[in-house]
Short mmCIF file of all heavy atoms in Angstrom, two decimals:
data_model
loop_
_atom_site.label_atom_id
_atom_site.label_comp_id
_atom_site.label_asym_id
_atom_site.label_seq_id
_atom_site.Cartn_x
_atom_site.Cartn_y
_atom_site.Cartn_z
N MET A 1 42.74 -50.34 -93.38
CA MET A 1 42.09 -49.27 -92.66
C MET A 1 42.74 -49.05 -91.27
O MET A 1 42.87 -47.94 -90.81
CB MET A 1 40.60 -49.59 -92.49
CG MET A 1 39.88 -48.44 -91.76
SD MET A 1 38.09 -48.74 -91.89
CE MET A 1 37.57 -47.95 -90.46
N THR A 2 43.13 -50.11 -90.61
CA THR A 2 43.69 -49.97 -89.33
C THR A 2 45.15 -49.48 -89.38
O THR A 2 45.62 -48.95 -88.36
CB THR A 2 43.64 -51.31 -88.56
OG1 THR A 2 44.34 -52.25 -89.31
CG2 THR A 2 42.25 -51.76 -88.35
N ASP A 3 45.80 -49.63 -90.51
CA ASP A 3 47.18 -49.19 -90.61
C ASP A 3 47.33 -47.64 -90.51
O ASP A 3 48.15 -47.14 -89.82
CB ASP A 3 47.85 -49.64 -91.96
CG ASP A 3 48.11 -51.11 -91.95
OD1 ASP A 3 48.22 -51.69 -90.85
OD2 ASP A 3 48.23 -51.69 -93.08
N TRP A 4 46.43 -46.95 -91.22
CA TRP A 4 46.48 -45.51 -91.15
C TRP A 4 46.01 -44.99 -89.74
O TRP A 4 46.49 -43.91 -89.27
CB TRP A 4 45.69 -44.84 -92.22
CG TRP A 4 44.19 -45.06 -92.16
CD1 TRP A 4 43.47 -46.07 -92.76
CD2 TRP A 4 43.26 -44.28 -91.40
NE1 TRP A 4 42.20 -45.95 -92.45
CE2 TRP A 4 41.98 -44.83 -91.65
CE3 TRP A 4 43.37 -43.17 -90.68
CZ2 TRP A 4 40.83 -44.30 -91.04
CZ3 TRP A 4 42.21 -42.60 -90.11
CH2 TRP A 4 40.97 -43.21 -90.30
N LEU A 5 45.16 -45.74 -89.10
CA LEU A 5 44.69 -45.36 -87.76
C LEU A 5 45.82 -45.49 -86.76
O LEU A 5 46.00 -44.62 -85.88
CB LEU A 5 43.47 -46.20 -87.37
CG LEU A 5 42.79 -45.85 -86.09
CD1 LEU A 5 42.30 -44.41 -86.17
CD2 LEU A 5 41.66 -46.81 -85.78
N ILE A 6 46.57 -46.55 -86.86
CA ILE A 6 47.73 -46.82 -85.98
C ILE A 6 48.77 -45.76 -86.22
O ILE A 6 49.36 -45.21 -85.31
CB ILE A 6 48.26 -48.20 -86.17
CG1 ILE A 6 47.27 -49.23 -85.64
CG2 ILE A 6 49.61 -48.38 -85.43
CD1 ILE A 6 47.64 -50.74 -85.93
N THR A 7 49.04 -45.46 -87.48
CA THR A 7 50.00 -44.44 -87.82
C THR A 7 49.57 -43.07 -87.30
O THR A 7 50.44 -42.32 -86.72
CB THR A 7 50.16 -44.34 -89.35
OG1 THR A 7 50.54 -45.64 -89.87
CG2 THR A 7 51.23 -43.32 -89.78
N LEU A 8 48.32 -42.74 -87.44
CA LEU A 8 47.78 -41.49 -86.91
C LEU A 8 47.91 -41.40 -85.40
O LEU A 8 48.30 -40.34 -84.82
CB LEU A 8 46.34 -41.28 -87.36
CG LEU A 8 45.73 -39.92 -87.06
CD1 LEU A 8 46.40 -38.86 -87.83
CD2 LEU A 8 44.23 -39.99 -87.41
N LEU A 9 47.63 -42.48 -84.72
CA LEU A 9 47.77 -42.53 -83.28
C LEU A 9 49.23 -42.38 -82.85
O LEU A 9 49.44 -41.67 -81.86
CB LEU A 9 47.16 -43.90 -82.75
CG LEU A 9 47.12 -44.05 -81.28
CD1 LEU A 9 46.18 -43.03 -80.62
CD2 LEU A 9 46.67 -45.49 -80.91
N LEU A 10 50.13 -42.99 -83.50
CA LEU A 10 51.54 -42.88 -83.16
C LEU A 10 52.01 -41.43 -83.39
O LEU A 10 52.77 -40.89 -82.55
CB LEU A 10 52.35 -43.85 -83.97
CG LEU A 10 52.28 -45.34 -83.57
CD1 LEU A 10 53.11 -46.16 -84.57
CD2 LEU A 10 52.78 -45.52 -82.14
N ILE A 11 51.58 -40.83 -84.42
CA ILE A 11 51.95 -39.43 -84.70
C ILE A 11 51.38 -38.51 -83.61
O ILE A 11 52.11 -37.62 -83.09
CB ILE A 11 51.49 -38.99 -86.07
CG1 ILE A 11 52.29 -39.69 -87.15
CG2 ILE A 11 51.58 -37.49 -86.26
CD1 ILE A 11 51.78 -39.41 -88.56
N ALA A 12 50.14 -38.72 -83.19
CA ALA A 12 49.58 -37.96 -82.12
C ALA A 12 50.30 -38.14 -80.79
O ALA A 12 50.52 -37.15 -80.06
CB ALA A 12 48.12 -38.33 -81.95
N ILE A 13 50.72 -39.35 -80.49
CA ILE A 13 51.44 -39.61 -79.23
C ILE A 13 52.85 -38.92 -79.28
O ILE A 13 53.22 -38.31 -78.30
CB ILE A 13 51.63 -41.14 -79.01
CG1 ILE A 13 50.28 -41.75 -78.66
CG2 ILE A 13 52.62 -41.41 -77.96
CD1 ILE A 13 50.23 -43.25 -78.62
N LYS A 14 53.46 -38.99 -80.41
CA LYS A 14 54.80 -38.37 -80.54
C LYS A 14 54.73 -36.81 -80.41
O LYS A 14 55.52 -36.17 -79.77
CB LYS A 14 55.46 -38.71 -81.91
CG LYS A 14 55.91 -40.12 -81.96
CD LYS A 14 56.52 -40.44 -83.36
CE LYS A 14 56.85 -41.92 -83.48
NZ LYS A 14 57.40 -42.18 -84.80
N LEU A 15 53.68 -36.23 -81.07
CA LEU A 15 53.47 -34.81 -80.96
C LEU A 15 53.17 -34.40 -79.52
O LEU A 15 53.60 -33.37 -79.07
CB LEU A 15 52.36 -34.36 -81.91
CG LEU A 15 52.73 -34.32 -83.38
CD1 LEU A 15 51.49 -33.97 -84.23
CD2 LEU A 15 53.81 -33.28 -83.62
N GLY A 16 52.34 -35.22 -78.85
CA GLY A 16 52.05 -34.94 -77.49
C GLY A 16 53.26 -34.95 -76.57
O GLY A 16 53.47 -34.11 -75.69
N LEU A 17 54.14 -35.93 -76.80
CA LEU A 17 55.37 -36.03 -75.99
C LEU A 17 56.30 -34.81 -76.26
O LEU A 17 56.86 -34.21 -75.34
CB LEU A 17 56.09 -37.31 -76.29
CG LEU A 17 55.50 -38.57 -75.69
CD1 LEU A 17 56.21 -39.80 -76.19
CD2 LEU A 17 55.55 -38.51 -74.16
N ILE A 18 56.42 -34.46 -77.52
CA ILE A 18 57.28 -33.34 -77.88
C ILE A 18 56.70 -32.05 -77.25
O ILE A 18 57.44 -31.25 -76.71
CB ILE A 18 57.38 -33.20 -79.40
CG1 ILE A 18 58.25 -34.37 -79.96
CG2 ILE A 18 58.00 -31.81 -79.80
CD1 ILE A 18 58.26 -34.44 -81.45
N PHE A 19 55.39 -31.87 -77.35
CA PHE A 19 54.74 -30.72 -76.74
C PHE A 19 54.95 -30.65 -75.26
O PHE A 19 55.29 -29.57 -74.70
CB PHE A 19 53.28 -30.75 -77.11
CG PHE A 19 52.51 -29.49 -76.75
CD1 PHE A 19 52.73 -28.33 -77.43
CD2 PHE A 19 51.52 -29.53 -75.78
CE1 PHE A 19 52.07 -27.20 -77.12
CE2 PHE A 19 50.82 -28.36 -75.45
CZ PHE A 19 51.08 -27.16 -76.15
N ALA A 20 54.82 -31.73 -74.55
CA ALA A 20 55.05 -31.83 -73.13
C ALA A 20 56.48 -31.47 -72.78
O ALA A 20 56.70 -30.73 -71.78
CB ALA A 20 54.66 -33.16 -72.57
N VAL A 21 57.45 -31.99 -73.49
CA VAL A 21 58.86 -31.71 -73.19
C VAL A 21 59.16 -30.25 -73.42
O VAL A 21 59.82 -29.60 -72.58
CB VAL A 21 59.77 -32.60 -74.04
CG1 VAL A 21 61.20 -32.15 -74.03
CG2 VAL A 21 59.65 -34.04 -73.62
N VAL A 22 58.68 -29.66 -74.51
CA VAL A 22 58.95 -28.25 -74.77
C VAL A 22 58.32 -27.35 -73.72
O VAL A 22 58.97 -26.43 -73.22
CB VAL A 22 58.42 -27.87 -76.19
CG1 VAL A 22 58.51 -26.35 -76.39
CG2 VAL A 22 59.30 -28.54 -77.26
N LEU A 23 57.11 -27.64 -73.30
CA LEU A 23 56.46 -26.79 -72.27
C LEU A 23 57.17 -26.95 -70.90
O LEU A 23 57.34 -25.98 -70.15
CB LEU A 23 55.01 -27.21 -72.10
CG LEU A 23 54.06 -26.66 -73.22
CD1 LEU A 23 52.65 -27.15 -72.97
CD2 LEU A 23 54.12 -25.17 -73.28
N SER A 24 57.60 -28.19 -70.60
CA SER A 24 58.35 -28.32 -69.34
C SER A 24 59.65 -27.61 -69.39
O SER A 24 60.05 -26.99 -68.39
CB SER A 24 58.60 -29.85 -69.15
OG SER A 24 57.40 -30.53 -69.00
N MET A 25 60.36 -27.68 -70.48
CA MET A 25 61.63 -26.92 -70.58
C MET A 25 61.43 -25.44 -70.47
O MET A 25 62.20 -24.76 -69.80
CB MET A 25 62.32 -27.24 -71.91
CG MET A 25 62.94 -28.60 -71.99
SD MET A 25 63.67 -29.02 -73.61
CE MET A 25 64.48 -27.57 -74.05
N ALA A 26 60.37 -24.93 -71.05
CA ALA A 26 60.10 -23.50 -70.95
C ALA A 26 59.80 -23.08 -69.51
O ALA A 26 60.32 -22.05 -69.06
CB ALA A 26 58.93 -23.13 -71.84
N ALA A 27 59.06 -23.87 -68.81
CA ALA A 27 58.73 -23.57 -67.38
C ALA A 27 59.94 -23.56 -66.54
O ALA A 27 60.21 -22.64 -65.74
CB ALA A 27 57.68 -24.55 -66.88
N TYR A 28 60.86 -24.54 -66.72
CA TYR A 28 62.10 -24.63 -65.93
C TYR A 28 63.06 -23.49 -66.33
O TYR A 28 63.79 -22.91 -65.47
CB TYR A 28 62.76 -25.96 -66.09
CG TYR A 28 62.14 -27.02 -65.23
CD1 TYR A 28 61.51 -28.11 -65.81
CD2 TYR A 28 62.15 -26.95 -63.85
CE1 TYR A 28 60.92 -29.06 -65.04
CE2 TYR A 28 61.55 -27.89 -63.03
CZ TYR A 28 60.93 -28.96 -63.62
OH TYR A 28 60.34 -29.93 -62.84
N LEU A 29 63.08 -23.07 -67.60
CA LEU A 29 63.97 -21.99 -67.99
C LEU A 29 63.48 -20.67 -67.40
O LEU A 29 64.30 -19.85 -66.98
CB LEU A 29 64.04 -21.92 -69.52
CG LEU A 29 64.86 -23.03 -70.16
CD1 LEU A 29 64.78 -22.90 -71.68
CD2 LEU A 29 66.33 -22.89 -69.74
N VAL A 30 62.19 -20.43 -67.33
CA VAL A 30 61.65 -19.23 -66.70
C VAL A 30 62.00 -19.20 -65.23
O VAL A 30 62.39 -18.16 -64.66
CB VAL A 30 60.12 -19.10 -66.92
CG1 VAL A 30 59.50 -18.07 -66.05
CG2 VAL A 30 59.83 -18.85 -68.37
N LEU A 31 61.84 -20.32 -64.54
CA LEU A 31 62.18 -20.44 -63.14
C LEU A 31 63.68 -20.15 -62.92
O LEU A 31 64.07 -19.39 -62.01
CB LEU A 31 61.81 -21.80 -62.60
CG LEU A 31 62.18 -22.04 -61.11
CD1 LEU A 31 61.33 -21.16 -60.21
CD2 LEU A 31 61.96 -23.51 -60.71
N ALA A 32 64.51 -20.71 -63.75
CA ALA A 32 65.93 -20.55 -63.61
C ALA A 32 66.27 -19.05 -63.86
O ALA A 32 67.12 -18.46 -63.15
CB ALA A 32 66.73 -21.42 -64.62
N GLU A 33 65.70 -18.45 -64.84
CA GLU A 33 65.92 -17.02 -65.13
C GLU A 33 65.56 -16.18 -63.97
O GLU A 33 66.28 -15.27 -63.59
CB GLU A 33 65.17 -16.59 -66.39
CG GLU A 33 65.28 -15.16 -66.67
CD GLU A 33 64.35 -14.72 -67.80
OE1 GLU A 33 63.40 -15.36 -68.04
OE2 GLU A 33 64.63 -13.62 -68.36
N ARG A 34 64.42 -16.39 -63.37
CA ARG A 34 63.97 -15.65 -62.26
C ARG A 34 64.87 -15.76 -61.06
O ARG A 34 65.17 -14.82 -60.32
CB ARG A 34 62.53 -15.96 -61.86
CG ARG A 34 61.56 -15.53 -62.88
CD ARG A 34 60.16 -15.86 -62.49
NE ARG A 34 59.70 -14.86 -61.52
CZ ARG A 34 58.45 -14.71 -61.12
NH1 ARG A 34 57.57 -15.59 -61.53
NH2 ARG A 34 58.14 -13.79 -60.33
N LYS A 35 65.33 -16.98 -60.77
CA LYS A 35 66.28 -17.22 -59.63
C LYS A 35 67.57 -16.49 -59.88
O LYS A 35 68.10 -15.89 -58.97
CB LYS A 35 66.45 -18.72 -59.48
CG LYS A 35 65.30 -19.40 -58.84
CD LYS A 35 65.60 -20.84 -58.53
CE LYS A 35 64.47 -21.48 -57.80
NZ LYS A 35 64.93 -22.13 -56.61
N ILE A 36 68.11 -16.59 -61.08
CA ILE A 36 69.43 -15.99 -61.36
C ILE A 36 69.31 -14.50 -61.23
O ILE A 36 70.18 -13.82 -60.62
CB ILE A 36 69.91 -16.40 -62.75
CG1 ILE A 36 70.29 -17.91 -62.72
CG2 ILE A 36 71.08 -15.58 -63.20
CD1 ILE A 36 70.55 -18.47 -64.10
N LEU A 37 68.28 -13.84 -61.84
CA LEU A 37 68.13 -12.44 -61.78
C LEU A 37 67.86 -11.94 -60.39
O LEU A 37 68.39 -10.87 -59.98
CB LEU A 37 67.01 -11.97 -62.71
CG LEU A 37 67.27 -12.11 -64.18
CD1 LEU A 37 66.06 -11.71 -65.02
CD2 LEU A 37 68.45 -11.27 -64.62
N ALA A 38 67.09 -12.70 -59.60
CA ALA A 38 66.88 -12.29 -58.22
C ALA A 38 68.16 -12.34 -57.34
O ALA A 38 68.43 -11.47 -56.59
CB ALA A 38 65.84 -13.16 -57.57
N ARG A 39 68.99 -13.35 -57.62
CA ARG A 39 70.22 -13.48 -56.89
C ARG A 39 71.22 -12.34 -57.32
O ARG A 39 71.92 -11.75 -56.50
CB ARG A 39 70.91 -14.81 -57.10
CG ARG A 39 71.99 -15.14 -56.15
CD ARG A 39 72.45 -16.52 -56.24
NE ARG A 39 71.44 -17.47 -55.93
CZ ARG A 39 71.23 -18.02 -54.72
NH1 ARG A 39 72.02 -17.57 -53.73
NH2 ARG A 39 70.29 -18.87 -54.49
N MET A 40 71.23 -12.00 -58.60
CA MET A 40 72.12 -10.95 -59.06
C MET A 40 71.72 -9.58 -58.51
O MET A 40 72.57 -8.75 -58.24
CB MET A 40 72.09 -10.91 -60.60
CG MET A 40 72.81 -11.99 -61.30
SD MET A 40 72.57 -12.07 -63.09
CE MET A 40 73.02 -10.40 -63.57
N GLN A 41 70.46 -9.35 -58.37
CA GLN A 41 69.95 -8.04 -57.89
C GLN A 41 69.77 -7.97 -56.36
O GLN A 41 69.41 -6.93 -55.83
CB GLN A 41 68.60 -7.71 -58.54
CG GLN A 41 68.71 -7.62 -60.05
CD GLN A 41 67.34 -7.54 -60.69
OE1 GLN A 41 66.31 -7.47 -60.04
NE2 GLN A 41 67.33 -7.54 -62.04
N LEU A 42 70.08 -9.06 -55.70
CA LEU A 42 70.04 -9.14 -54.24
C LEU A 42 68.65 -8.67 -53.75
O LEU A 42 68.48 -7.85 -52.82
CB LEU A 42 71.10 -8.30 -53.56
CG LEU A 42 72.54 -8.75 -53.84
CD1 LEU A 42 73.51 -7.73 -53.24
CD2 LEU A 42 72.78 -10.13 -53.37
N ARG A 43 67.57 -9.15 -54.32
CA ARG A 43 66.23 -8.85 -53.97
C ARG A 43 65.51 -10.09 -53.54
O ARG A 43 65.97 -11.22 -53.83
CB ARG A 43 65.49 -8.16 -55.06
CG ARG A 43 65.28 -9.02 -56.29
CD ARG A 43 64.47 -8.32 -57.33
NE ARG A 43 64.52 -9.05 -58.58
CZ ARG A 43 63.72 -10.04 -58.90
NH1 ARG A 43 62.82 -10.47 -58.01
NH2 ARG A 43 63.78 -10.66 -60.04
N HIS A 44 64.40 -9.86 -52.86
CA HIS A 44 63.62 -11.00 -52.46
C HIS A 44 62.88 -11.52 -53.67
O HIS A 44 62.04 -10.84 -54.27
CB HIS A 44 62.57 -10.63 -51.35
CG HIS A 44 63.25 -10.30 -50.05
ND1 HIS A 44 63.80 -11.32 -49.27
CD2 HIS A 44 63.55 -9.21 -49.46
CE1 HIS A 44 64.30 -10.73 -48.23
NE2 HIS A 44 64.18 -9.43 -48.31
N GLY A 45 63.20 -12.68 -54.08
CA GLY A 45 62.57 -13.27 -55.25
C GLY A 45 62.36 -14.73 -55.11
O GLY A 45 62.31 -15.23 -53.97
N PRO A 46 62.36 -15.45 -56.18
CA PRO A 46 62.11 -16.91 -56.11
C PRO A 46 63.14 -17.67 -55.31
O PRO A 46 62.89 -18.75 -54.86
CB PRO A 46 62.15 -17.30 -57.60
CG PRO A 46 61.85 -16.10 -58.36
CD PRO A 46 62.39 -14.96 -57.57
N ASN A 47 64.31 -17.07 -55.12
CA ASN A 47 65.31 -17.82 -54.38
C ASN A 47 65.19 -17.60 -52.86
O ASN A 47 65.89 -18.26 -52.11
CB ASN A 47 66.73 -17.42 -54.84
CG ASN A 47 67.04 -15.97 -54.63
OD1 ASN A 47 66.16 -15.16 -54.56
ND2 ASN A 47 68.33 -15.65 -54.52
N ARG A 48 64.36 -16.62 -52.43
CA ARG A 48 64.30 -16.32 -51.01
C ARG A 48 62.87 -16.32 -50.44
O ARG A 48 62.70 -16.36 -49.24
CB ARG A 48 64.95 -15.00 -50.69
CG ARG A 48 66.36 -14.92 -51.01
CD ARG A 48 66.89 -13.61 -50.57
NE ARG A 48 68.15 -13.37 -51.26
CZ ARG A 48 68.74 -12.20 -51.34
NH1 ARG A 48 68.15 -11.16 -50.82
NH2 ARG A 48 69.84 -12.02 -51.95
N LEU A 49 61.89 -16.14 -51.30
CA LEU A 49 60.54 -15.88 -50.79
C LEU A 49 59.74 -17.11 -50.70
O LEU A 49 59.22 -17.61 -51.74
CB LEU A 49 59.86 -14.84 -51.72
CG LEU A 49 58.66 -14.12 -51.16
CD1 LEU A 49 58.98 -13.37 -49.88
CD2 LEU A 49 58.15 -13.16 -52.13
N GLY A 50 59.61 -17.67 -49.53
CA GLY A 50 58.78 -18.87 -49.33
C GLY A 50 59.50 -20.17 -49.68
O GLY A 50 60.63 -20.09 -50.18
N PRO A 51 58.89 -21.25 -49.42
CA PRO A 51 59.53 -22.51 -49.77
C PRO A 51 59.56 -22.74 -51.30
O PRO A 51 58.48 -22.68 -51.94
CB PRO A 51 58.58 -23.56 -49.12
CG PRO A 51 57.32 -22.87 -48.93
CD PRO A 51 57.58 -21.43 -48.80
N PHE A 52 60.71 -22.86 -51.82
CA PHE A 52 60.96 -23.03 -53.29
C PHE A 52 60.32 -21.92 -54.13
O PHE A 52 59.98 -22.16 -55.27
CB PHE A 52 60.36 -24.43 -53.72
CG PHE A 52 60.89 -25.58 -52.99
CD1 PHE A 52 60.11 -26.24 -52.12
CD2 PHE A 52 62.22 -25.94 -53.12
CE1 PHE A 52 60.57 -27.35 -51.40
CE2 PHE A 52 62.72 -27.03 -52.44
CZ PHE A 52 61.89 -27.73 -51.52
N GLY A 53 60.23 -20.73 -53.55
CA GLY A 53 59.72 -19.61 -54.32
C GLY A 53 58.26 -19.65 -54.60
O GLY A 53 57.76 -18.97 -55.50
N MET A 54 57.47 -20.36 -53.74
CA MET A 54 56.07 -20.51 -53.99
C MET A 54 55.28 -19.28 -53.74
O MET A 54 54.17 -19.10 -54.18
CB MET A 54 55.51 -21.68 -53.12
CG MET A 54 56.10 -23.02 -53.46
SD MET A 54 55.82 -23.55 -55.11
CE MET A 54 54.10 -23.91 -54.99
N PHE A 55 55.88 -18.30 -52.94
CA PHE A 55 55.09 -17.10 -52.60
C PHE A 55 55.43 -15.93 -53.54
O PHE A 55 55.00 -14.82 -53.30
CB PHE A 55 55.37 -16.64 -51.20
CG PHE A 55 54.89 -17.67 -50.16
CD1 PHE A 55 55.70 -18.04 -49.07
CD2 PHE A 55 53.68 -18.32 -50.31
CE1 PHE A 55 55.25 -18.97 -48.18
CE2 PHE A 55 53.24 -19.24 -49.40
CZ PHE A 55 54.02 -19.55 -48.32
N GLN A 56 56.24 -16.15 -54.56
CA GLN A 56 56.62 -15.11 -55.51
C GLN A 56 55.42 -14.44 -56.18
O GLN A 56 55.33 -13.23 -56.29
CB GLN A 56 57.67 -15.56 -56.48
CG GLN A 56 58.14 -14.46 -57.44
CD GLN A 56 58.88 -13.35 -56.68
OE1 GLN A 56 59.61 -13.64 -55.74
NE2 GLN A 56 58.68 -12.11 -57.14
N PRO A 57 54.47 -15.24 -56.71
CA PRO A 57 53.29 -14.59 -57.37
C PRO A 57 52.57 -13.74 -56.37
O PRO A 57 52.04 -12.62 -56.75
CB PRO A 57 52.44 -15.76 -57.84
CG PRO A 57 53.42 -16.87 -58.05
CD PRO A 57 54.44 -16.66 -56.96
N LEU A 58 52.45 -14.13 -55.11
CA LEU A 58 51.74 -13.30 -54.09
C LEU A 58 52.48 -12.04 -53.86
O LEU A 58 51.90 -10.91 -53.76
CB LEU A 58 51.61 -14.11 -52.86
CG LEU A 58 50.88 -13.43 -51.68
CD1 LEU A 58 49.46 -13.06 -52.08
CD2 LEU A 58 50.96 -14.25 -50.45
N ALA A 59 53.84 -12.08 -53.83
CA ALA A 59 54.64 -10.90 -53.60
C ALA A 59 54.51 -9.95 -54.79
O ALA A 59 54.42 -8.71 -54.64
CB ALA A 59 56.09 -11.25 -53.41
N ASP A 60 54.41 -10.49 -55.96
CA ASP A 60 54.26 -9.66 -57.22
C ASP A 60 52.87 -8.96 -57.16
O ASP A 60 52.81 -7.81 -57.56
CB ASP A 60 54.39 -10.49 -58.44
CG ASP A 60 55.78 -10.96 -58.69
OD1 ASP A 60 56.76 -10.37 -58.15
OD2 ASP A 60 56.00 -11.94 -59.44
N LEU A 61 51.85 -9.63 -56.72
CA LEU A 61 50.50 -9.08 -56.62
C LEU A 61 50.52 -7.95 -55.63
O LEU A 61 49.99 -6.86 -55.87
CB LEU A 61 49.48 -10.12 -56.22
CG LEU A 61 48.08 -9.63 -56.02
CD1 LEU A 61 47.48 -9.16 -57.34
CD2 LEU A 61 47.23 -10.74 -55.39
N ILE A 62 51.08 -8.15 -54.42
CA ILE A 62 51.14 -7.11 -53.39
C ILE A 62 51.93 -5.89 -53.91
O ILE A 62 51.47 -4.74 -53.71
CB ILE A 62 51.76 -7.65 -52.10
CG1 ILE A 62 50.80 -8.66 -51.50
CG2 ILE A 62 52.03 -6.54 -51.13
CD1 ILE A 62 51.37 -9.44 -50.34
N LYS A 63 53.02 -6.12 -54.58
CA LYS A 63 53.81 -5.04 -55.11
C LYS A 63 53.02 -4.22 -56.15
O LYS A 63 53.02 -3.01 -56.14
CB LYS A 63 55.08 -5.57 -55.72
CG LYS A 63 55.97 -4.52 -56.34
CD LYS A 63 57.20 -5.10 -56.96
CE LYS A 63 58.07 -4.03 -57.59
NZ LYS A 63 59.22 -4.59 -58.29
N MET A 64 52.29 -4.95 -56.99
CA MET A 64 51.48 -4.25 -58.03
C MET A 64 50.35 -3.42 -57.41
O MET A 64 50.10 -2.32 -57.84
CB MET A 64 50.90 -5.30 -58.99
CG MET A 64 50.14 -4.68 -60.11
SD MET A 64 49.41 -5.83 -61.28
CE MET A 64 48.15 -6.53 -60.24
N LEU A 65 49.71 -3.96 -56.36
CA LEU A 65 48.58 -3.26 -55.74
C LEU A 65 49.06 -2.05 -54.92
O LEU A 65 48.27 -1.11 -54.77
CB LEU A 65 47.87 -4.22 -54.86
CG LEU A 65 47.02 -5.28 -55.58
CD1 LEU A 65 46.41 -6.28 -54.60
CD2 LEU A 65 46.01 -4.73 -56.51
N THR A 66 50.27 -2.06 -54.36
CA THR A 66 50.74 -0.97 -53.56
C THR A 66 51.53 0.10 -54.29
O THR A 66 51.83 1.09 -53.74
CB THR A 66 51.62 -1.54 -52.42
OG1 THR A 66 52.74 -2.22 -52.94
CG2 THR A 66 50.82 -2.42 -51.45
N LYS A 67 51.73 -0.11 -55.59
CA LYS A 67 52.43 0.86 -56.37
C LYS A 67 51.49 2.09 -56.64
O LYS A 67 50.32 1.92 -56.69
CB LYS A 67 52.88 0.32 -57.73
CG LYS A 67 54.21 -0.34 -57.68
CD LYS A 67 54.64 -0.66 -59.03
CE LYS A 67 56.12 -0.93 -59.11
NZ LYS A 67 56.59 -1.22 -60.44
N GLU A 68 52.13 3.21 -56.85
CA GLU A 68 51.28 4.40 -57.11
C GLU A 68 50.77 4.34 -58.51
O GLU A 68 51.33 3.94 -59.42
CB GLU A 68 52.18 5.69 -57.00
CG GLU A 68 52.59 5.90 -55.52
CD GLU A 68 53.38 7.18 -55.39
OE1 GLU A 68 53.17 8.06 -56.20
OE2 GLU A 68 54.17 7.20 -54.49
#
């Protein structure tokens, strides 16, 4: 009875690790994409706005609210 429980626990741990790695990679790829595109377009974006691009969501909100 404990063998299948241990096996199930190991599978759950492995799936959790894989899930965490994939989500982390996706977050870093989105950040890299935004930085590259902002630099290519010479606009204020994640590479210039605030420390480490922390104010980019705020700038996006202000832009959205002030658009016609």
Side-chain angles (χ1 to χ4, degrees):
M1 181 169 154
T2 60
D3 288 338
W4 67 269
L5 187 61
I6 292 173
T7 303
L8 187 63
L9 184 63
L10 287 175
I11 290 173
I13 290 172
K14 289 178 185 179
L15 285 174
L17 286 173
I18 291 171
F19 190 66
V21 167
V22 169
L23 284 179
S24 297
M25 284 176 44
Y28 281 114
L29 287 174
V30 168
L31 178 65
E33 177 190 18
R34 291 183 80 172
K35 284 185 176 232
I36 291 168
L37 291 176
R39 194 172 297 268
M40 285 172 54
Q41 297 170 5
L42 297 175
R43 64 178 169 83
H44 291 286
N47 63 335
R48 297 185 199 163
L49 198 58
F52 304 111
M54 297 299 289
F55 297 138
Q56 183 62 38
L58 180 63
D60 290 340
L61 175 69
I62 292 170
K63 180 180 177 184
M64 184 182 69
L65 291 175
T66 58
K67 273 189 161 181
E68 292 182 28

